[in-house]
Amino acid sequence: MPRIVFLLLTILFAGAADAATLRERLTPDVLAIVMPAAERLGAEEGSPPAIAVYKGSEIVAYLFSTLDVVRASGYSSVPFDVIAGVDLQGRITGAKAVFHAEPFVVNDPVRQPQLDTFLAREAGTSIRGGVVPALTPDFVAGATVTARAMRGAVADAARLVLRARIPVPQVSEPTLDHEQYRRQTWSELLAEGAVVRRRITAGEVAAALGTAPEGAPDGLTTDLYAALLTPAALGGSLIGLNRYNEYMRRFPPGAQVIAVASSGPYDFLGDDYVRAAKGYRFNRIRVTQEGRSYHFVNGDFLRLDTRAHEGFLSQQYAALFALPPTFDPLKEWRLELLVRGADAKEVAFPLPYRLPASYVLLPEAKPTPLWIEAWRDARVDIAILIAALTALTLIFVFQDRLARSRVAHRVVRTGFLLFVVVWLGWIAGAQLSIINLMHYVTAPLSAANLLEPLIVIIAAYTLLSLILIGRGVFCGWLCPFGALQELLAQVSRALRLPQWTPGAALESRLRWGKYAAAAALLILAFVSIGTAESAAEIEPFKTAITAKFSRAWPYVLYAGALLAAGLFTERAYCRFLCPLGGVLAAFDRFHLLDRLRRRAECGSPCRLCEAACPVRAIEKSGKIVTAECFQCLDCQVEYFDEQRCPPLVAARRLERNGKVAAHA
Amino acid sequence: MHKVTRRRAFRIMAAAAGLPLLIAGVRAAQPKPRFFSWQGDVLGAASELTLWHSDEALARRAMLKARHEIARCESIFSLYRDSEVTRLNRDGVVRPSPELLEVIDASQRLGELSGGAFDITVQPLWQVYERHFWSRSDVAPDILARARDVARAQVDFRRVQAGARRVELPPGMTITLNGIAQGYITDRVTDLLRNDGFEHAVVDLGEWRALGSHPEGRPWRAATRSGEIDLADNALAVSAGSGTPFEPSGRFHHIFDPATGASAPTPTEVAVIARRAMIADALATAICVVGEERAAQLLAAYPGARAIVTSQTTRKAT
């Protein structure tokens, strides 16, 4: 049921004993809890009532009582009184229940201190909610109506106190800030571009007109200033708030007004504007905006008194001009000073103006979508991952060159797999799983899919590599659990543990296991995604990689058993059980490139690579079954090894024999 | 196959010991697990997620996912913003998401079991009382008669037609899922956390659901008026008419008897412990209406569910 409505209703109730003023209830003990950093307190005032907290001469926070502001209650029908503070950013500074009649807590030696701790913990939390820094877990025990109601009341009261005291007008689109006034000096206005200035010299004018300058070329023709007057903070600072208010009343409501001033021999007024024959038109200035020109006549104009000592009103001439509603003060515009030569040639000297953002009210930013938050949080990890994927791409582009050196291949591959297990898997937790795939196919458009940036990037890379090369790019290089198995297999080989390889017939039967697991899970996902997610525990990924074995022992035992199997039969899990591998292998047949090199002799008579393949993905015929291939490139190392690849050895012998023959 | 020499046997044993050592090492290398927690509003109630884990990044990711799931569920069940429920109430018809259908189906089942004590169509009653008590806290003499008329004409869950393609309400009827949706969302979030590998967590969205036990090995402890209740892999919902009273006497509150339209004379508090929060949530409301005499009959339909009913004078576990 709506808590807000409930709280408002309770305001109407008569009930609790009349309390003393907030100032009286705010004892030093309470103050130390709710606002430890307070330097000086203001008076209790305003509606809803609150006490301002000063640091130096500035207000930094407010103290309030839930009893005064929302009069909320918990179990008891007598409203409780929690005194709390909130800073101007909306963070609670502390909270303390100074009175309550909660039947379950009052006079309870255990619960009362628990409630105190619970409320003290509110310090630092934002009234907008969010991740809470500290936590004392047994405040699940604080999950009483009392604690919950007090926490809610503090947040509600803080919101009301702040809303009444930081009155920012609500707008739905960027809007000119007409109302809010703050005094600014002439140099501040110039510095932030609220007033713009241009000095035009005699030389510039002459050059533009193509005539000789009158007098010295660097002599001043005019020193021109322009500003938008309409925002109170700008106009009031420019010409004084009283004058601003008085003059703004003389223009039609809603009109935009600009202020222009100049010093120097050539003023912006001219004298046509006083002549009926010229239509009372100002012939020396105009405003342009987005291809539209605005000219002014006497009726749009107010002359300003210019006897000030400094600033805008100390120039020789200053005036205000009104613009019609088609003029948009938020967009850039130009004031153009027009100068005519002897042959009536007219040149314009533009003075561009863009209103500084401090005079514009922006609509309250919509809360950032969660997925954007996720990507921003993960930006360092994303950069590392992209670097790693670039490296992997280069490995595949230059795979022939890499495979020519047995040592380089071993170092690069082992290094990459270590990185994948330790950083990608254990540190970044980016283990692509059949669960991700189930979500992608059952709800392809859900924004929830974007909440794990690294997984999204890996999935995209996997899809691309599946289309180009095959399933082995992910399974052999980017799967942390696969990498862990392979590294363990290296250890196992170094220890010369016995290896067991199923016979060809059994092997091909076992391979179906992964397809069966994949099909079962995907069908289940469409029936019940929750059940499918539980069934996906067939993957040991969560246990071994994301949770780093910190799970209940049956899971750890299962993952350990699979790793143990991998010691004796390389990548047993990947080859025979992995549902994700099954899905990828099923789509492998469509890949576009075959970049693993073979010779005519491969398979018949030579079977070196077949034996070298750690996962038995090479058939007797010498053909590589890419659906079972992990792209480890071991066969390519053999292929380029002049000492081992029989056709190469034979060719070399032939060549040497040829040389010998030539000598003879 | 090679002959198993002594050296080879030794190596196999080394490997046999090595793997558990590796696993133990990876486990030990992690930072100490600690609590992570998020607070926010869910369907208008102060809510909190609490996770126990060693990996902060993983916990944060899980909380983001949970928040996303909560926001998605709110766009289905909320009464206070555009949602499937508000659209159904406005238009009288909506094409339901599977989630909406699941919750309505569960509600209807409980409606039947409770002989109409649990009824999602009581929303018009809420509006009658809310309009009345909004402006005045005294009780107009005809309020009960008006509520009774509304209950007769506009309250009957059996008239809600719920199918996979459309859910339809007769004219004038509206529904509220606030007696059950919070529990449902609690379950969704808990399942999500469990599927992400979390083993100790508490999801508190107005109803509580505990995942696993407290990391100290004991159950999670929830304090209610009915006393301390231990939770481990189950859910707790607490209902009391006093939770949202309309006026100070407490005679008018948000738990209505659909038969009369009046607020039900509820016990002080009903705490229901069940495997899932949705069931606990709905049962707690229903038992408030039917009273503790008929509680056992309702509970029998949900294996594992039990209730603690606290009245002004007595406390009774069922």
Side-chain angles (χ1 to χ4, degrees), chain B:
Chain B
M1 205 123 160
H2 299 271
K3 217 174 84 188
V4 179
T5 61
R6 184 181 295 179
R7 179 179 290 180
R8 183 167 286 263
F10 177 73
R11 286 206 194 101
I12 294 176
M13 283 192 298
L19 197 57
L21 277 178
L22 173 83
I23 291 173
V26 172
R27 275 175 79 128
Q30 291 169 76
K32 263 177 76 128
R34 57 193 176 95
F35 282 100
F36 298 91
S37 137
W38 171 85
Q39 288 179 356
D41 267 19
V42 179
L43 293 182
S47 302
E48 183 159 348
L49 300 180
T50 304
L51 312 178
W52 168 263
H53 207 271
S54 56
D55 187 335
E56 176 166 4
L58 192 72
R60 294 182 78 93
R61 271 208 305 276
M63 283 199 267
L64 271 181
K65 282 200 244 176
R67 285 165 62 193
H68 186 274
E69 181 64 16
I70 287 169
R72 199 179 67 86
C73 287
E74 283 187 314
S75 74
I76 297 172
F77 300 112
S78 175
L79 273 175
Y80 308 107
R81 58 178 235 202
D82 183 46
S83 72
E84 287 184 32
V85 169
T86 50
R87 266 172 276 149
L88 173 63
N89 285 345
R90 186 190 61 210
D91 306 335
V93 61
V94 78
R95 190 195 164 100
S97 58
E99 290 83 359
L100 180 67
L101 198 65
E102 188 182 341
V103 172
I104 291 182
D105 281 349
S107 309
Q108 300 297 73
R109 173 161 186 248
L110 204 81
E112 294 290 350
L113 280 171
S114 65
F118 184 83
D119 192 321
I120 54 174
T121 62
V122 294
Q123 182 65 7
L125 288 173
W126 166 261
Q127 280 157 349
V128 166
Y129 288 105
E130 191 195 8
R131 275 194 208 120
H132 178 74
F133 288 110
W134 177 255
S135 54
R136 45 212 281 216
S137 52
D138 59 330
V139 178
D142 71 329
I143 181 74
L144 281 176
R146 268 173 34 217
R148 193 172 51 237
D149 293 345
V150 167
R152 275 193 196 137
Q154 289 164 264
V155 177
D156 184 0
F157 71 97
R158 294 172 194 88
R159 291 165 64 197
V160 177
Q161 292 172 17
R165 301 205 166 271
R166 69 198 259 126
V167 174
E168 216 175 327
L169 296 177
M173 283 179 64
T174 51
I175 65 165
T176 168
L177 295 175
N178 284 12
I180 188 167
Q182 249 143 7
Y184 178 78
I185 303 175
T186 307
D187 287 331
R188 298 284 302 200
V189 170
T190 314
D191 291 347
L192 187 152
L193 293 176
R194 194 188 38 218
N195 283 328
D196 268 6
F198 289 88
E199 290 176 345
H200 307 282
V202 174
V203 179
D204 162 8
L205 310 181
E207 328 306 328
W208 297 272
R209 173 118 179 247
L211 187 58
S213 55
H214 190 281
E216 285 170 13
R218 58 175 173 78
W220 298 95
R221 232 168 261 149
T224 69
R225 194 160 209 186
S226 325
E228 284 205 341
I229 293 176
D230 285 350
L231 293 180
D233 272 322
N234 53 5
L236 166 70
V238 177
S239 254
S242 59
T244 310
F246 284 113
E247 40 76 58
S249 82
R251 195 156 73 90
F252 294 91
H253 55 77
H254 74 293
I255 295 180
F256 308 113
D257 183 344
T260 64
S263 294
T266 67
T268 311
E269 184 180 272
V270 176
V272 175
I273 299 113
R275 234 164 38 75
R276 295 185 71 76
M278 177 173 78
I279 299 301
D281 192 4
L283 279 175
T285 310
I287 291 173
C288 266
V289 178
V290 300
E292 58 180 302
E293 297 77 28
R294 283 172 57 205
Q297 178 196 337
L298 264 181
L299 289 164
Y302 298 91
R306 64 199 170 89
I308 301 167
V309 179
T310 310
S311 300
Q312 214 64 317
T313 48
T314 64
R315 190 181 140 195
K316 196 172 156 189
T318 309

Side-chain angles (χ1 to χ4, degrees), chain A residues 196 198 224-228 258-260 284-296 323 327-338 347-355:
Chain A
V196 292
R198 181 167 178 185
L224 185 68
Y225 296 86
L228 184 72
I258 61 165
V260 182
R284 288 186 175 183
I285 54 165
R286 67 176 176 227
V287 164
T288 60
Q289 185 179 51
E290 292 187 329
R292 200 192 280 257
S293 296
Y294 299 92
H295 294 270
F296 303 102
L323 284 146
F327 173 80
D328 184 347
L330 300 184
K331 289 192 178 136
E332 186 166 340
W333 51 274
R334 287 141 54 111
L335 176 72
E336 292 184 338
L337 185 72
L338 305 172
V347 291
F349 293 89
L351 178 54
Y353 187 90
R354 175 172 271 288
L355 185 67

Side-chain angles (χ1 to χ4, degrees), chain A residues 293-309:
Chain A
S293 296
Y294 299 92
H295 294 270
F296 303 102
V297 295
N298 202 334
D300 309 325
F301 152 82
L302 274 178
R303 181 83 176 264
L304 292 171
D305 181 22
T306 53
R307 279 173 298 182
H309 291 294

Side-chain angles (χ1 to χ4, degrees), chain A residues 148-225:
Chain A
R148 170 184 280 290
M150 285 185 180
R151 184 169 78 194
V154 167
D156 286 336
R159 243 176 251 135
L160 292 174
V161 164
L162 280 190
R163 191 178 302 157
R165 282 168 177 78
I166 314 179
V168 176
Q170 297 297 306
V171 293
S172 58
E173 56 186 36
T175 310
L176 198 61
D177 186 355
H178 289 270
E179 304 294 331
Q180 297 192 89
Y181 176 70
R182 58 185 185 279
R183 171 97 185 90
Q184 297 181 99
T185 64
W186 173 238
S187 52
E188 282 168 353
L189 290 172
L190 280 168
E192 68 171 350
V195 178
V196 292
R197 174 187 190 185
R198 181 167 178 185
R199 276 175 65 90
I200 301 164
T201 61
E204 278 177 76
V205 174
L209 289 172
T211 57
E214 296 167 32
D218 57 349
L220 179 70
T221 297
T222 191
D223 195 3
L224 185 68
Y225 296 86

